[in-house]
């Protein structure tokens, strides 16, 4: 299905807003390792993911499923993560929020499940104080 002009315009406006963020302009870029979401699932090879970090308050994670089928992976985030803290991942194009416990991010990684050619552009923030 072809995107409409409005959908394409909204996508590029969001992308340009992300590219203007200090984390992207002045932050540290890293490729993110994509691991299998579970034993026997090889679809982590369908992903490319990377992250930028300027400070603890300025972190971005981008992940893209470069395949023509639904795929899953666990992302090994290159950031300092506290096990007793809650982190919120906000998908900037959709404003959807996903909360993850630090201990889960450290032990397994950030789970992603995306449709063919799907993507997330996450900002990452601390939302919970240590327990």
């Amino acid at each position: 299905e072809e995107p409409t002009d409005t959908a394409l315009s909204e996508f590029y406006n969001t992308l340009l807003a992300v590219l203007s963020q200090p984390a992207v302009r002045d932050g540290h870029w890293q490729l993110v390792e994509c691991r299998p979401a579970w034993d026997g699932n090889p679809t982590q090879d369908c992903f490319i993911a990377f992250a930028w970090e300027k400070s603890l308050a300025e972190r971005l994670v981008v992940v893209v499923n470069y395949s023509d089928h639904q795929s899953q992976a666990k992302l090994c985030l290159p950031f300092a993560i506290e096990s007793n803290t809650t982190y919120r991942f906000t998908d900037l194009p959709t404003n959807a929020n996903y909360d993850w416990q630090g201990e889960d991010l450290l032990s397994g990684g950030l789970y992603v499940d995306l449709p063919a050619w799907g993507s997330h552009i996450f900002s990452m923030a601390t939302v919970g104080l240590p327990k």
Side-chain angles (χ1 to χ4, degrees):
E1 179 179 318
E2 291 293 316
T4 64
D5 287 345
T6 303
L8 216 48
S9 178
E10 287 174 6
F11 170 79
Y12 281 109
N13 286 338
T14 300
L15 185 59
L16 289 172
V18 168
L19 292 175
S20 71
Q21 292 193 16
V24 174
R25 286 185 289 116
D26 304 321
H28 177 70
W29 177 90
Q30 283 187 268
L31 190 64
V32 174
E33 180 185 355
C34 300
R35 294 185 179 162
W38 58 82
D39 289 341
N41 180 351
T43 61
Q44 80 278 357
D45 291 337
C46 300
F47 288 95
I48 186 165
F50 41 92
W52 284 275
E53 181 177 34
K54 185 169 188 283
S55 68
L56 293 178
E58 297 174 291
R59 296 172 168 177
L60 292 174
V61 178
V62 175
V63 58
V64 178
N65 176 4
Y66 276 109
S67 74
D68 62 357
H69 54 81
Q70 184 97 14
S71 300
Q72 302 80 28
K74 289 186 177 180
L75 308 182
C76 275
L77 299 177
F79 308 129
I81 294 173
E82 298 291 328
S83 63
N84 60 351
T85 301
T86 301
Y87 295 90
R88 175 161 295 157
F89 293 82
T90 301
D91 190 21
L92 299 176
T94 65
N95 287 319
N97 291 314
Y98 306 92
D99 289 350
W100 282 84
Q101 296 302 313
E103 60 197 80
D104 295 330
L105 293 171
L106 289 168
S107 66
L110 177 64
Y111 175 79
V112 291
D113 182 350
L114 284 169
W117 316 115
S119 64
H120 286 301
I121 303 172
F122 289 126
S123 65
M124 179 181 169
T126 303
V127 294
L129 298 173
K131 295 175 187 174

